[in-house]
Amino acid sequence: MKTIERWDIFELELKGKPEGNPFMDYEISATFKGDREEKTVEGFYDGNGTYRIRFMPSFEGVYHYEAKGTFQNELTQKDKLCGSFTVSPASSENHGPVRVLDEVRLRYEDGSSYYSIGTTCYAWANQTQSLQEQTLETLKNSPFNKIRFCFFPKYYLYNTKEPLTYPFERGHGEGLDMALVKKAKEECLTFPGMKQAEFDLAFDYTRPNTAHFRRYDERIRQLRDMGVEADIILMHPYDRWGNIMMDAKSCDSYLRYVNARYGAYRNVWWSLANEYDLIRTKSTADWERYGTFFQEKDPYQHLRSIHNCGDFYDHSRPWITHCSLQRIDFYKTTEETGLFMEKYKKPIVWDEICYEGNLELGWGNITGQELVRRFWEGALRGGHCGHGETFLAKDDILWWSHGGRLKGESVPRLQFLLDILKEVPGGYLKEGHGIFDETVGIAATEKTEGRKNRQSPFAPHTSGYEIHYLGIMQPAYRDLYLPEERKFQVDLIDTWEMTVTDMGVHSGIAKIKMPQHPYMAVRIVEVSS
Amino acid sequence: MKTIERWDIFELELKGKPEGNPFMDYEISATFKGDREEKTVEGFYDGNGTYRIRFMPSFEGVYHYEAKGTFQNELTQKDKLCGSFTVSPASSENHGPVRVLDEVRLRYEDGSSYYSIGTTCYAWANQTQSLQEQTLETLKNSPFNKIRFCFFPKYYLYNTKEPLTYPFERGHGEGLDMALVKKAKEECLTFPGMKQAEFDLAFDYTRPNTAHFRRYDERIRQLRDMGVEADIILMHPYDRWGNIMMDAKSCDSYLRYVNARYGAYRNVWWSLANEYDLIRTKSTADWERYGTFFQEKDPYQHLRSIHNCGDFYDHSRPWITHCSLQRIDFYKTTEETGLFMEKYKKPIVWDEICYEGNLELGWGNITGQELVRRFWEGALRGGHCGHGETFLAKDDILWWSHGGRLKGESVPRLQFLLDILKEVPGGYLKEGHGIFDETVGIAATEKTEGRKNRQSPFAPHTSGYEIHYLGIMQPAYRDLYLPEERKFQVDLIDTWEMTVTDMGVHSGIAKIKMPQHPYMAVRIVEVSS
C-alpha cells in the first residue's frame, strides 16, 4: 500500500474523455475517507485525456478512496477508481497548512508557530527557467516564508515581455465577455495609457493551458518543500491578454480549475486579487461570488484574502480569513496594525507597504531602513509585513516582479527580526501600552497589557516579556519603571546593526543607556532569580 | 516735538498713587489720536508711584494724546498729561506687527512677506543674564524669526532651579484660589509626581513684581529689534509657585497688566497657554474669558493662540487668530497641515513637532533630518513649524528651555528652507496636487492647483511655480509631465546638503535624474524663453 506523509499529496491519474471541451464538459471527483475525515474533491483535466484528482490528508492512518465521473473506459481502469493508502506522520519540516488562531494570529495546523515574513515577486513564475531557478535559490537563503505571485502574466512598467506560457490555449476569444473588452479598451481599465493595439485577446478562455499550470505545480511544490507559503494572486489589473475580461462562466471555471489543481498543496493561500479596486471589469458581486466559491468548495479551507490599491475591501466579509492590505495612508503604514486588527478581528498582513528601491514611482522607492522600520512597527503589534525590492537594473530584472537576486539591505534585518520573534513565548507579540514614543510588543501569552497607564511615562511595568521599539527616535537613555519585587533581564536590540547587548538584570527604576541613533529596541524579560 | 517711527513705542511716564495696591486699585489710560486712528490705551504701574502708558502708532504723521486716571498730583505733571509727537516712516527693518492675510497666511502689516521659522526656549528669560545674552547672540545668527517663551517660571525635568526673578512680589498667598491650590496638591495637576513640600506659594498674586516684568521689557525689545516675534506664553502647567492657582480677579489683573505693559511692542504674540489641557486648574470658561479679553482689549490686535498637549482647543473660536499646534498624531505631524488649514481656515503654526535631541522623553529625541523633514512637509503646505533642541548636556543647559548655544544639525537647513521660501512669488507656498509620494507646494500667487489629477502619475503639470518634496523617498529619477508648449527651469534641491543644482530648461516629458537618497526636492519654474 502506498504511503504518503500527512499534508502531502495523494494523486490519482485517470483517463477521461478528451472530446469536446474537457475543462467544461465533464466532471471527475473522488471521495477520500480516513478515520477522522471524509472529503470529496474534484479532479481536473491535464490534457491528452488525462484527469488528475489530488488529495491532501489532514490526518494519519489508512485512507480509502472512490472516484466517480465521466471516464473514457471505466472497465480498463477499474483498479484505479478505488483503493487505499496509508498516511504516515509528517516529517520534521512539514507543519501542515497555515491556519488562523485566536482570531488575529496565524499558526501551522500542527500547532507550531508561524510568523509570516513575506516577499513579493509578482511575475517570477513567468520568467525564464534559469531566472526562476535563481529566485528559488535566493528564497532558500532568505527569511521569507511566504511569497506573493500571480497566475496570470503581468503587463506593466518593466513588465512588457511575453510570459513563458499563457494561462489559456490560443483561440479566438471564446469565453470573453465582449462588453468587458469594450470597456477595457475604451476606459483604459488596465495599464494606464495602454493602446488598443497592445491587447492580445486571441485565446480560448474556456481552455486552460495545461503547460502553464503544470509549471506552477512544480513551483508551488518547490516552495512548499522549502517551507514557503504560496500566496497566489488569482487576478490582477495589469492585463493585456484578456484574463480579466472573461465571462462569468469561464471565470468561474478557471477558479474551479485552480482549486482542484492546487488545493492539495498545503502551502497555498488564495489571494483573489492584487489591487481588486483597479480591476474595473469586476464588481463586488463578482468578488463575493469568487470568495464564497473558495469558502464553500475548497476542501482544505486555505487562507483567503483580497488586496487593495485604494480603499480596503470589506474585510469583515465572512469568506475573508485575514486582511491582506496595501497601506492606504502614505505616511502611516504598519503603525495602523492595531486599528485594523481591532476593526476586523482578523490577522493583519501588510502585503504592500512600499518596496525597498529607487524606482521613480512612489510605491517602490524607500530605503532599507524604512522598510525594516515598518516591519518592526507591524510585528510588535502582532501583524505581518511583506517585503519587496525595486532597484532599477540594467537588465530590467527587479525582484518585485521578476525575482532573481536581492540587492537591498533589508533582508538580513528581516531574518534578524524573525529570529527575535522566534524567541518570544507563544511566537507572537501583541500590542501593549507604552509611552508615546515607543511601540510596545508583549508576548502573546502574557495576560497583561503592559504599563498600567499609557499616558504617564512613570506608569509601572506590568508584564513579563516586552519589547519596546523606538523607531526613528534617538534617546540617550531610557528609564524603565520596573516593579521593585521582580527581576528583569534587559537587552538592547539594534534592529539595523543586528546586535543584542546584555544590559544586565534590573529591578525598580532602571536607567538604560542608549546609543543615540534610530532603530533601537529594548527587550525586558522577567527572570526568576 | 518728539519723533518716533511707525510701529515703535511712545511712552508716557506719570506719577500716580503708590498707596494701597496700585496694580488693582487705580486706573490710568490715555487716548492717542492721529489722522488715521484714535486709540485709548491703559497704563500700568511700574513701582515707586510710577505709571507708564505705552502706545504703538500704526500710521505716520502727528499724534496728540491726553491721559486720564488716578494721578498723584495732576497739577505738577500737567504738561505731561497731554501733548503731541510725530511718527516718521518705519525704518527698513521694521515691517510692523505680523497679521493674518488671506485667512491662512501671515504677513507683516506693511505688506512684506513674513514666513515664520520659530524656535522654543521656554524659560530663557528666567536664566542668568549671561546665558540670556548668549541666547540673543545665537538668535542673531539663526534663521529664527519667532521665539516661544513663558512669563512664568518653569518647573520640570532639567528645570528645577529658581528663576532670576518671580512674577509676583513675595507675600502670603494673597490672590490665590485655595480650592485650586488644594486641587493642585491633591491631584498632581502640575509636574507629575510633585510633592506638596515642593510648592512655594508665598507670593502676593495681586502684585506683579515689576523687576520681573521690567526684565521682559528689555528682552522683548531686543527681540523686536532683531526682527524676532515674541510668542509669549501667558500660562503653562509646569508650575510650583502658584501662578496657575490664582483666583479669577488676580488672574484677570495679570492679563490686563501684561496687555498694558507689552501690547505696544509690535513683535508680541499672545499665546494664552502652553499645553492648556494640562493646566487642570483652568476651565474652558477661563480660556474663553482670557481670549475674549485680548480680543476686546488689545488695542493692537496682536496674534492670539492657545497650544495643546493632547486634544486641540477649538480653534474655530473667533478670538483665535491662528492654530498653534502640538502634533496629536505621533507619526503624522506636519503632513496634516492641509487637514487643519481646511478645517479651521486659519494659519497653521506647528509650535511643537518634537525637538531635535536625545532626551529620554518622546517629544525631545528626533534627528535633525526628521525635524527638517517636518519643516518641509509643513512649509510646502503653507504652514509653519517650530524648532526646539533637547540635547542632554553636562551643564543641563538645553536650548528648548534655557537657550544658550545650539548643538544640532537642523538650524542651517532651516535657514536654507527660509532662503528657498523667500524666492517664492508671494513669499508662500500652498499645497498642490501631486502624485502620492511627493508633497507639492505651489506659489501662493498661482491660480492652479498643480496637476490636474492627483491620482495619475501621468497627469500634466499645470502651474508655473512648484516645489515637489520627496521626503524619505529615494527615486533614481523623476518623470515630469510638463506641457509641450511651455518651458520650465528645473532645479534639484538637496534639503539636507543645502545645494541647488541646475537641471536645465525642459518641456514635455522630462526625466530628471535624482541622487537616490532621501530629503530631495525638485523645483519647477516656468520661464518665458
PDB file of all heavy atoms in Angstrom, chain B residues 50-72:
ATOM      1  N   THR B  50       5.319 105.154  40.022  1.00  0.00           N
ATOM      2  CA  THR B  50       5.429 105.468  38.589  1.00  0.00           C
ATOM      3  C   THR B  50       4.457 104.622  37.757  1.00  0.00           C
ATOM      4  O   THR B  50       4.392 103.399  37.920  1.00  0.00           O
ATOM      5  CB  THR B  50       6.863 105.187  38.097  1.00  0.00           C
ATOM      6  OG1 THR B  50       7.745 106.013  38.841  1.00  0.00           O
ATOM      7  CG2 THR B  50       7.003 105.489  36.603  1.00  0.00           C
ATOM      8  N   TYR B  51       3.746 105.303  36.884  1.00  0.00           N
ATOM      9  CA  TYR B  51       2.850 104.630  35.935  1.00  0.00           C
ATOM     10  C   TYR B  51       3.361 104.917  34.527  1.00  0.00           C
ATOM     11  O   TYR B  51       3.906 105.991  34.276  1.00  0.00           O
ATOM     12  CB  TYR B  51       1.416 105.148  36.070  1.00  0.00           C
ATOM     13  CG  TYR B  51       0.751 104.717  37.360  1.00  0.00           C
ATOM     14  CD1 TYR B  51       1.091 105.325  38.571  1.00  0.00           C
ATOM     15  CD2 TYR B  51      -0.210 103.716  37.368  1.00  0.00           C
ATOM     16  CE1 TYR B  51       0.493 104.923  39.754  1.00  0.00           C
ATOM     17  CE2 TYR B  51      -0.828 103.312  38.548  1.00  0.00           C
ATOM     18  CZ  TYR B  51      -0.475 103.919  39.745  1.00  0.00           C
ATOM     19  OH  TYR B  51      -1.071 103.512  40.903  1.00  0.00           O
ATOM     20  N   ARG B  52       3.176 103.978  33.663  1.00  0.00           N
ATOM     21  CA  ARG B  52       3.598 104.190  32.277  1.00  0.00           C
ATOM     22  C   ARG B  52       2.438 103.887  31.344  1.00  0.00           C
ATOM     23  O   ARG B  52       1.664 102.953  31.573  1.00  0.00           O
ATOM     24  CB  ARG B  52       4.755 103.265  31.899  1.00  0.00           C
ATOM     25  CG  ARG B  52       6.006 103.556  32.680  1.00  0.00           C
ATOM     26  CD  ARG B  52       7.168 102.646  32.300  1.00  0.00           C
ATOM     27  NE  ARG B  52       8.148 102.670  33.359  1.00  0.00           N
ATOM     28  CZ  ARG B  52       9.014 103.678  33.566  1.00  0.00           C
ATOM     29  NH1 ARG B  52       9.023 104.717  32.745  1.00  0.00           N
ATOM     30  NH2 ARG B  52       9.862 103.653  34.565  1.00  0.00           N
ATOM     31  N   ILE B  53       2.369 104.679  30.311  1.00  0.00           N
ATOM     32  CA  ILE B  53       1.387 104.408  29.253  1.00  0.00           C
ATOM     33  C   ILE B  53       2.181 104.277  27.970  1.00  0.00           C
ATOM     34  O   ILE B  53       2.970 105.159  27.622  1.00  0.00           O
ATOM     35  CB  ILE B  53       0.367 105.550  29.130  1.00  0.00           C
ATOM     36  CG1 ILE B  53      -0.349 105.751  30.471  1.00  0.00           C
ATOM     37  CG2 ILE B  53      -0.643 105.243  28.029  1.00  0.00           C
ATOM     38  CD1 ILE B  53      -1.255 106.968  30.507  1.00  0.00           C
ATOM     39  N   ARG B  54       1.987 103.127  27.306  1.00  0.00           N
ATOM     40  CA  ARG B  54       2.742 102.889  26.070  1.00  0.00           C
ATOM     41  C   ARG B  54       1.786 102.828  24.887  1.00  0.00           C
ATOM     42  O   ARG B  54       0.717 102.226  24.970  1.00  0.00           O
ATOM     43  CB  ARG B  54       3.502 101.568  26.173  1.00  0.00           C
ATOM     44  CG  ARG B  54       4.662 101.672  27.137  1.00  0.00           C
ATOM     45  CD  ARG B  54       5.329 100.316  27.303  1.00  0.00           C
ATOM     46  NE  ARG B  54       6.456 100.439  28.224  1.00  0.00           N
ATOM     47  CZ  ARG B  54       7.095  99.406  28.765  1.00  0.00           C
ATOM     48  NH1 ARG B  54       6.686  98.165  28.491  1.00  0.00           N
ATOM     49  NH2 ARG B  54       8.110  99.597  29.573  1.00  0.00           N
ATOM     50  N   PHE B  55       2.259 103.392  23.820  1.00  0.00           N
ATOM     51  CA  PHE B  55       1.413 103.426  22.634  1.00  0.00           C
ATOM     52  C   PHE B  55       2.242 103.127  21.384  1.00  0.00           C
ATOM     53  O   PHE B  55       3.346 103.643  21.218  1.00  0.00           O
ATOM     54  CB  PHE B  55       0.752 104.806  22.485  1.00  0.00           C
ATOM     55  CG  PHE B  55      -0.024 104.948  21.203  1.00  0.00           C
ATOM     56  CD1 PHE B  55      -1.190 104.232  20.992  1.00  0.00           C
ATOM     57  CD2 PHE B  55       0.421 105.805  20.190  1.00  0.00           C
ATOM     58  CE1 PHE B  55      -1.904 104.347  19.802  1.00  0.00           C
ATOM     59  CE2 PHE B  55      -0.280 105.932  18.999  1.00  0.00           C
ATOM     60  CZ  PHE B  55      -1.454 105.200  18.806  1.00  0.00           C
ATOM     61  N   MET B  56       1.714 102.275  20.528  1.00  0.00           N
ATOM     62  CA  MET B  56       2.358 101.965  19.248  1.00  0.00           C
ATOM     63  C   MET B  56       1.519 102.567  18.124  1.00  0.00           C
ATOM     64  O   MET B  56       0.395 102.112  17.876  1.00  0.00           O
ATOM     65  CB  MET B  56       2.436 100.447  19.054  1.00  0.00           C
ATOM     66  CG  MET B  56       3.035 100.043  17.705  1.00  0.00           C
ATOM     67  SD  MET B  56       2.963  98.249  17.387  1.00  0.00           S
ATOM     68  CE  MET B  56       1.249  98.071  16.888  1.00  0.00           C
ATOM     69  N   PRO B  57       2.010 103.588  17.441  1.00  0.00           N
ATOM     70  CA  PRO B  57       1.232 104.175  16.347  1.00  0.00           C
ATOM     71  C   PRO B  57       1.297 103.299  15.094  1.00  0.00           C
ATOM     72  O   PRO B  57       2.357 102.814  14.725  1.00  0.00           O
ATOM     73  CB  PRO B  57       1.935 105.511  16.094  1.00  0.00           C
ATOM     74  CG  PRO B  57       3.345 105.276  16.541  1.00  0.00           C
ATOM     75  CD  PRO B  57       3.304 104.254  17.640  1.00  0.00           C
ATOM     76  N   SER B  58       0.169 103.133  14.466  1.00  0.00           N
ATOM     77  CA  SER B  58       0.104 102.304  13.256  1.00  0.00           C
ATOM     78  C   SER B  58       0.240 103.127  11.979  1.00  0.00           C
ATOM     79  O   SER B  58       0.246 102.566  10.879  1.00  0.00           O
ATOM     80  CB  SER B  58      -1.220 101.529  13.228  1.00  0.00           C
ATOM     81  OG  SER B  58      -1.279 100.650  14.319  1.00  0.00           O
ATOM     82  N   PHE B  59       0.332 104.445  12.140  1.00  0.00           N
ATOM     83  CA  PHE B  59       0.397 105.315  10.953  1.00  0.00           C
ATOM     84  C   PHE B  59       1.424 106.425  11.187  1.00  0.00           C
ATOM     85  O   PHE B  59       1.827 106.681  12.314  1.00  0.00           O
ATOM     86  CB  PHE B  59      -0.986 105.923  10.675  1.00  0.00           C
ATOM     87  CG  PHE B  59      -2.018 104.869  10.382  1.00  0.00           C
ATOM     88  CD1 PHE B  59      -2.860 104.408  11.389  1.00  0.00           C
ATOM     89  CD2 PHE B  59      -2.119 104.311   9.107  1.00  0.00           C
ATOM     90  CE1 PHE B  59      -3.792 103.428  11.134  1.00  0.00           C
ATOM     91  CE2 PHE B  59      -3.051 103.323   8.853  1.00  0.00           C
ATOM     92  CZ  PHE B  59      -3.893 102.885   9.861  1.00  0.00           C
ATOM     93  N   GLU B  60       1.802 107.051  10.102  1.00  0.00           N
ATOM     94  CA  GLU B  60       2.720 108.192  10.198  1.00  0.00           C
ATOM     95  C   GLU B  60       1.931 109.469  10.470  1.00  0.00           C
ATOM     96  O   GLU B  60       0.705 109.486  10.388  1.00  0.00           O
ATOM     97  CB  GLU B  60       3.489 108.331   8.884  1.00  0.00           C
ATOM     98  CG  GLU B  60       4.390 107.130   8.617  1.00  0.00           C
ATOM     99  CD  GLU B  60       4.887 107.086   7.170  1.00  0.00           C
ATOM    100  OE1 GLU B  60       4.964 108.156   6.537  1.00  0.00           O
ATOM    101  OE2 GLU B  60       5.198 105.972   6.690  1.00  0.00           O
ATOM    102  N   GLY B  61       2.678 110.519  10.804  1.00  0.00           N
ATOM    103  CA  GLY B  61       2.032 111.829  10.995  1.00  0.00           C
ATOM    104  C   GLY B  61       2.040 112.274  12.438  1.00  0.00           C
ATOM    105  O   GLY B  61       2.669 111.657  13.299  1.00  0.00           O
ATOM    106  N   VAL B  62       1.326 113.363  12.703  1.00  0.00           N
ATOM    107  CA  VAL B  62       1.290 113.947  14.054  1.00  0.00           C
ATOM    108  C   VAL B  62       0.201 113.277  14.888  1.00  0.00           C
ATOM    109  O   VAL B  62      -0.903 113.038  14.406  1.00  0.00           O
ATOM    110  CB  VAL B  62       1.037 115.471  13.977  1.00  0.00           C
ATOM    111  CG1 VAL B  62       0.878 116.071  15.369  1.00  0.00           C
ATOM    112  CG2 VAL B  62       2.183 116.151  13.225  1.00  0.00           C
ATOM    113  N   TYR B  63       0.558 112.927  16.131  1.00  0.00           N
ATOM    114  CA  TYR B  63      -0.394 112.345  17.076  1.00  0.00           C
ATOM    115  C   TYR B  63      -0.535 113.287  18.275  1.00  0.00           C
ATOM    116  O   TYR B  63       0.439 113.871  18.722  1.00  0.00           O
ATOM    117  CB  TYR B  63       0.093 110.981  17.579  1.00  0.00           C
ATOM    118  CG  TYR B  63      -0.207 109.836  16.638  1.00  0.00           C
ATOM    119  CD1 TYR B  63       0.514 109.653  15.463  1.00  0.00           C
ATOM    120  CD2 TYR B  63      -1.223 108.917  16.952  1.00  0.00           C
ATOM    121  CE1 TYR B  63       0.231 108.586  14.613  1.00  0.00           C
ATOM    122  CE2 TYR B  63      -1.502 107.851  16.115  1.00  0.00           C
ATOM    123  CZ  TYR B  63      -0.777 107.683  14.950  1.00  0.00           C
ATOM    124  OH  TYR B  63      -1.058 106.637  14.113  1.00  0.00           O
ATOM    125  N   HIS B  64      -1.730 113.367  18.796  1.00  0.00           N
ATOM    126  CA  HIS B  64      -1.992 114.077  20.055  1.00  0.00           C
ATOM    127  C   HIS B  64      -2.471 113.069  21.067  1.00  0.00           C
ATOM    128  O   HIS B  64      -3.114 112.086  20.702  1.00  0.00           O
ATOM    129  CB  HIS B  64      -3.081 115.151  19.861  1.00  0.00           C
ATOM    130  CG  HIS B  64      -2.752 116.106  18.771  1.00  0.00           C
ATOM    131  ND1 HIS B  64      -1.855 117.140  18.909  1.00  0.00           N
ATOM    132  CD2 HIS B  64      -3.198 116.169  17.490  1.00  0.00           C
ATOM    133  CE1 HIS B  64      -1.760 117.796  17.769  1.00  0.00           C
ATOM    134  NE2 HIS B  64      -2.576 117.222  16.885  1.00  0.00           N
ATOM    135  N   TYR B  65      -2.150 113.317  22.334  1.00  0.00           N
ATOM    136  CA  TYR B  65      -2.635 112.392  23.361  1.00  0.00           C
ATOM    137  C   TYR B  65      -3.137 113.161  24.561  1.00  0.00           C
ATOM    138  O   TYR B  65      -2.768 114.322  24.797  1.00  0.00           O
ATOM    139  CB  TYR B  65      -1.532 111.414  23.780  1.00  0.00           C
ATOM    140  CG  TYR B  65      -0.320 112.084  24.385  1.00  0.00           C
ATOM    141  CD1 TYR B  65      -0.277 112.408  25.750  1.00  0.00           C
ATOM    142  CD2 TYR B  65       0.796 112.372  23.586  1.00  0.00           C
ATOM    143  CE1 TYR B  65       0.829 113.020  26.294  1.00  0.00           C
ATOM    144  CE2 TYR B  65       1.903 112.982  24.127  1.00  0.00           C
ATOM    145  CZ  TYR B  65       1.925 113.305  25.486  1.00  0.00           C
ATOM    146  OH  TYR B  65       3.008 113.918  26.018  1.00  0.00           O
ATOM    147  N   GLU B  66      -3.953 112.459  25.322  1.00  0.00           N
ATOM    148  CA  GLU B  66      -4.465 113.025  26.566  1.00  0.00           C
ATOM    149  C   GLU B  66      -4.642 111.878  27.559  1.00  0.00           C
ATOM    150  O   GLU B  66      -5.324 110.896  27.273  1.00  0.00           O
ATOM    151  CB  GLU B  66      -5.813 113.703  26.304  1.00  0.00           C
ATOM    152  CG  GLU B  66      -6.172 114.636  27.437  1.00  0.00           C
ATOM    153  CD  GLU B  66      -7.484 115.386  27.173  1.00  0.00           C
ATOM    154  OE1 GLU B  66      -7.842 115.574  25.981  1.00  0.00           O
ATOM    155  OE2 GLU B  66      -8.128 115.729  28.163  1.00  0.00           O
ATOM    156  N   ALA B  67      -3.970 112.036  28.722  1.00  0.00           N
ATOM    157  CA  ALA B  67      -4.031 110.973  29.721  1.00  0.00           C
ATOM    158  C   ALA B  67      -5.078 111.299  30.777  1.00  0.00           C
ATOM    159  O   ALA B  67      -5.350 112.465  31.049  1.00  0.00           O
ATOM    160  CB  ALA B  67      -2.665 110.808  30.384  1.00  0.00           C
ATOM    161  N   LYS B  68      -5.672 110.266  31.349  1.00  0.00           N
ATOM    162  CA  LYS B  68      -6.587 110.484  32.466  1.00  0.00           C
ATOM    163  C   LYS B  68      -6.481 109.301  33.434  1.00  0.00           C
ATOM    164  O   LYS B  68      -5.954 108.247  33.091  1.00  0.00           O
ATOM    165  CB  LYS B  68      -8.019 110.660  31.972  1.00  0.00           C
ATOM    166  CG  LYS B  68      -8.567 109.490  31.182  1.00  0.00           C
ATOM    167  CD  LYS B  68      -9.983 109.764  30.700  1.00  0.00           C
ATOM    168  CE  LYS B  68     -10.469 108.549  29.903  1.00  0.00           C
ATOM    169  NZ  LYS B  68     -11.830 108.698  29.399  1.00  0.00           N
ATOM    170  N   GLY B  69      -6.972 109.526  34.676  1.00  0.00           N
ATOM    171  CA  GLY B  69      -6.901 108.439  35.644  1.00  0.00           C
ATOM    172  C   GLY B  69      -6.655 108.971  37.037  1.00  0.00           C
ATOM    173  O   GLY B  69      -6.873 110.147  37.310  1.00  0.00           O
ATOM    174  N   THR B  70      -6.191 108.088  37.878  1.00  0.00           N
ATOM    175  CA  THR B  70      -5.964 108.434  39.272  1.00  0.00           C
ATOM    176  C   THR B  70      -4.506 108.843  39.446  1.00  0.00           C
ATOM    177  O   THR B  70      -3.627 108.005  39.596  1.00  0.00           O
ATOM    178  CB  THR B  70      -6.261 107.205  40.157  1.00  0.00           C
ATOM    179  OG1 THR B  70      -7.402 106.536  39.637  1.00  0.00           O
ATOM    180  CG2 THR B  70      -6.511 107.619  41.583  1.00  0.00           C
ATOM    181  N   PHE B  71      -4.251 110.155  39.400  1.00  0.00           N
ATOM    182  CA  PHE B  71      -2.862 110.615  39.487  1.00  0.00           C
ATOM    183  C   PHE B  71      -2.523 111.063  40.889  1.00  0.00           C
ATOM    184  O   PHE B  71      -3.403 111.415  41.683  1.00  0.00           O
ATOM    185  CB  PHE B  71      -2.634 111.773  38.518  1.00  0.00           C
ATOM    186  CG  PHE B  71      -2.886 111.359  37.093  1.00  0.00           C
ATOM    187  CD1 PHE B  71      -4.007 111.824  36.410  1.00  0.00           C
ATOM    188  CD2 PHE B  71      -2.013 110.493  36.443  1.00  0.00           C
ATOM    189  CE1 PHE B  71      -4.243 111.424  35.110  1.00  0.00           C
ATOM    190  CE2 PHE B  71      -2.252 110.107  35.138  1.00  0.00           C
ATOM    191  CZ  PHE B  71      -3.360 110.568  34.464  1.00  0.00           C
ATOM    192  N   GLN B  72      -1.227 111.166  41.162  1.00  0.00           N
ATOM    193  CA  GLN B  72      -0.778 111.637  42.460  1.00  0.00           C
ATOM    194  C   GLN B  72      -1.032 113.130  42.582  1.00  0.00           C
ATOM    195  O   GLN B  72      -1.547 113.602  43.573  1.00  0.00           O
ATOM    196  CB  GLN B  72       0.723 111.352  42.601  1.00  0.00           C
ATOM    197  CG  GLN B  72       1.218 111.466  44.017  1.00  0.00           C
ATOM    198  CD  GLN B  72       2.651 110.988  44.107  1.00  0.00           C
ATOM    199  OE1 GLN B  72       3.393 111.049  43.144  1.00  0.00           O
ATOM    200  NE2 GLN B  72       3.028 110.501  45.278  1.00  0.00           N
TER     201      GLN B  72
END
